Amino acid sequence: MSTRDTERRPGVPGPRTTPPRDTARTGRRSTALSTRARTRLAAGTLLAPFFALFTVAMIVPVGYALWLSLFTEKQSGLGFDGPRTVFDGLGNYATALGDQAFRDGFWVLLGYCAFYIPLMGGGAIVLALLLDTALARARRFFQLALFLPHAIPGLIAALIWIYLYTPQLSPVVAAMEAGGFGFDFFSSEGTLPSIVNIALWQWLGYNVVIFYAALQAVDRSLLEAATVDGAGNWRIAFSIKLPLIRSSLVMVLLFTIIGSLQLFTEPLILSRGSGSAVTSTWTPNMYAYSAAFERNDYGLAAAASVLIALVAAVLSFVVTRFANRRKEARR
């Protein structure tokens, strides 16, 4: 064969060549890496506003509270130079924990939770189950009617109930006295039920909506099969529906506990009532508020707030851990 035959002729394609396998793998890897990079960039772009807002609204205030709790104000010399801020370490925490008023506030919260959580959880579950039954009518109307109190700000709701609790003004108290049933809502025995009633009125409908939405997501074929097998409404409710909405039950319980630790608006407004037994340090939050804005002791107020946050975190961990263990045990 001559050299002319081996040369590539014009217009005639040369021998087909295939890229090496290493080159193809490298190309696929680079494509996968570029896709992952684009995905991470998109995720970071979408999450950036959340993390920025979370940092500004949560991380920075908590960090500032921790820093502020380590300092206190002391008078120098004879006090003519005014107070000066000095590092106190854990002194504010020791002061808060050593204060009987602060500790008594947690006992008040314990009694409040003992009344409020069973009534809230049980009432919301019962109402949600009633709305979910086939016999229920005008469901949208009752959902709106139950949720409407939650739309009213807590301050306005507390003021409304203060009016309804005041003997000289309230038609409710007048009707109770006319029926021979007298009850002092501002007394030491009536304060806790009065505040529980306000909280129930405001938050019951909110939790009913959560439970009802969870019940609507239950597979209806399971309910129909249980009905065919002869299960009654009570058996279906407690053996099928409630176990299937366990995650919603745990979430509501968790939020209710955290909200109970933040009890502040209702007792603060109730303390303005005539002859009220609520003091300025009745709850831990009120103790922190009083320390900051009545005694101007911001270090003590910050320490009390951090202790309340720690208690809420511990209770949240305990409830979540207990719920996860129950879930794993059932599996």
Side-chain angles (χ1 to χ4, degrees), residues 56 113 262:
V56 173
C113 292
Q262 299 174 359

Side-chain angles (χ1 to χ4, degrees), residues 241-270:
K241 290 183 178 181
L242 291 184
L244 291 177
I245 64 169
R246 186 181 303 276
S247 59
S248 297
L249 296 174
V250 174
M251 181 188 69
V252 169
L253 176 62
L254 186 62
F255 287 170
T256 303
I257 292 175
I258 295 175
S260 299
L261 291 175
Q262 299 174 359
L263 183 63
F264 176 75
T265 304
E266 293 84 358
L268 180 66
I269 299 300
L270 200 66

Side-chain angles (χ1 to χ4, degrees), residues 171-190:
V172 176
V173 175
M176 292 173 59
E177 291 178 350
F181 181 73
F183 186 78
D184 187 0
F185 293 97
F186 297 105
S187 64
S188 57
E189 295 82 8

Side-chain angles (χ1 to χ4, degrees), residues 40 50 129 136 159 174 184 210 308:
R40 291 175 181 175
F50 165 77
L129 289 173
L159 290 175
D184 187 0
I210 293 177
I308 296 171

Side-chain angles (χ1 to χ4, degrees), residues 60-79:
V60 173
V62 171
Y64 180 68
L66 287 171
W67 173 261
L68 193 63
S69 66
L70 301 177
F71 295 87
T72 187
E73 291 186 353
K74 292 185 178 181
Q75 298 288 340
S76 59
L78 298 177

Side-chain angles (χ1 to χ4, degrees), residues 72-89:
T72 187
E73 291 186 353
K74 292 185 178 181
Q75 298 288 340
S76 59
L78 298 177
F80 297 107
D81 295 336
R84 57 190 180 92
T85 303
V86 297
F87 181 77
D88 195 28

